[in-house]
């Protein structure tokens, strides 16, 4: 089998409400790039990548000289062609490689009648558990959804998500307001769900000292782990010596050199593996195997997926023996999806591994066209800007936090879901 063509389509997917984080916000939508490869056997493979627009589409098209004629089954050759660890020093194609590898694994699975996880050794679970992903949200003026700032409002969001989807782990995205506000909100979550695991992730917003102070203030709760309160391998290593909670990262260990240093320094306990940031399913799984060797836990990271990327997360989660914590997903915040059959369903806090060959999801071409049009209508948004504070930049550490008393209405006139 040989690749004969590839194409990329940027789409915009509305969220139920804008999601706030320590560096800015998702402005009521995600922008993603859907990648398709075609083969001489008439089979098509699907991939997905974060971001989009002309530069992303051009970057995918620019890989044609590397990929036309390539056999999708040759995964290791693909890695060296696109993501050569020496050559990629200058071209940083890790995420492009991931999107292409997903599509190759999808089409190779379809040819052989096996699932993507079978290329990783097969599934050891058919249901992947997920944590709720709770955000401070701006209130969407069209839907009235969102607008959570206070402990009561965040607990209400968590209860709503648990009732709708069955989550038994709860993750708070902190770092928007001052650390003591997060402590108050997180302790309210712990009190509301005393039997469930909880986890706090302020996206590296705090200094090491502030992280230690917050860690001590939440140490008595039923913490899954304390995720990236501060930045850097050395910062996280210092934190770990002073706080009696397992620590976790998805930011400072995203390649094998960092993983080796992390293990040698005994810097962090749990590594959240992202199928895109690590450069594909095989790389993320390989990292999981290294962690297993050192009896360290893996988890599955979410970088804002639609159904194709979610499928890669399910196949990774199915094949990782040391998935000792419920996976992360932004997925329940999406209003819709581009895959046939609509959004995948949560049952008892988990999502079933797809049964079909390859990634096990198919593209709904009407939805692809609809959300490609929405991207053309609304354009991109700056992930690292806050629409409620247009002159604000994250200056870290010890930043100028948002004011909870300022309200949580999304400013009018900011393109978010529809232009109407
Ligand atoms: Mg994180």
């Amino acid at each position: 089998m040989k690749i004969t063509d590839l194409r990329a389509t940027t789409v915009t997917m509305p969220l139920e409400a804008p999601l706030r984080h320590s560096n800015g916000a998702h402005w009521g939508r995600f922008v993603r790039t859907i990648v398709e490869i075609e083969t001489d056997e008439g089979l098509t493979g699907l991939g997905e990548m974060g971001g989009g627009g002309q530069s992303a589409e051009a970057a995918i098209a620019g890989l044609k000289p590397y990929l036309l004629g390539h056999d999708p089954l040759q995964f290791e050759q693909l890695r060296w062609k696109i993501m050569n660890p020496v050559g990629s020093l200058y071209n940083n194609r890790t995420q492009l490689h991931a999107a292409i590898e997903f599509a190759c694994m999808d089409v190779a699975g379809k040819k052989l009648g096996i699932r993507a996880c079978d290329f990783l050794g097969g599934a050891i679970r058919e249901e992947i558990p997920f944590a709720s992903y709770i955000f401070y949200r701006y209130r969407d003026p069209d839907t009235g959804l969102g607008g959570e700032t206070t402990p009561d409002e965040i607990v209400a969001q968590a209860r709503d998500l648990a009732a709708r989807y069955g989550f038994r782990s709860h993750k708070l995205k902190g770092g928007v307001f001052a650390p003591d506000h997060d402590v108050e909100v997180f302790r309210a979550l712990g009190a509301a769900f005393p039997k469930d695991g909880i986890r706090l992730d302020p996206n590296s917003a705090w200094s090491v000292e502030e992280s230690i102070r917050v860690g001590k203030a939440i140490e008595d709760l039923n913490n899954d782990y304390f995720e990236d309160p501060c930045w850097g391998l050395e910062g996280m290593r210092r934190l770990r010596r002073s706080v009696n909670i397992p620590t976790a990262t998805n930011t400072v260990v995203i390649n094998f050199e960092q993983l080796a240093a992390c293990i040698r320094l005994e810097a962090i306990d749990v590594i959240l593996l992202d199928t895109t940031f690590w450069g594909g399913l095989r790389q993320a799984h390989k990292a999981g195997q290294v962690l297993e060797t050192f009896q360290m836990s893996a988890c599955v990271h979410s970088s804002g997926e639609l159904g194709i990327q979610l499928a890669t997360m399910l196949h990774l989660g199915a094949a990782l023996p040391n998935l000792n914590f419920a996976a992360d997903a932004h997925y329940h915040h999406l209003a819709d999806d581009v895959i046939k059959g609509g959004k995948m369903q949560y049952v008892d806090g988990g999502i079933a591994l797809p049964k079909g060959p390859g990634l096990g999801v198919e593209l709904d071409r009407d939805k692809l066209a609809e959300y490609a049009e929405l991207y053309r209508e609304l354009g991109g948004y700056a992930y690292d800007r806050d629409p409620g504070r247009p002159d604000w930049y994250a200056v870290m550490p010890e930043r100028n936090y948002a004011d909870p008393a300022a309200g949580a209405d999304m400013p009018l006139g900011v393109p978010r879901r529809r232009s109407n």
Side-chain angles (χ1 to χ4, degrees), residues 133 171 173 201-203 227-228 249-251 272 301-302 328:
Y133 207 157
K171 168 170 174 165
K173 179 61 79 186
D201 174 14
N203 279 20
E227 180 178 336
D228 287 319
T249 188
N250 66 277
T251 60
L272 279 64
H301 178 252
S302 165
D328 279 344

Side-chain angles (χ1 to χ4, degrees), residues 3 8 29 82 134 187 200 205 214 249 251 263 272 287 291 295 315 364 392 395 409 419:
I3 295 175
R29 59 196 193 272
I82 305 296
I134 304 156
R187 293 200 67 88
L200 175 58
V214 172
T249 188
T251 60
I263 292 169
L272 279 64
L291 292 170
Q295 298 197 29
H315 286 280
D364 181 327
W392 174 89
V395 179
D409 287 327
S419 57

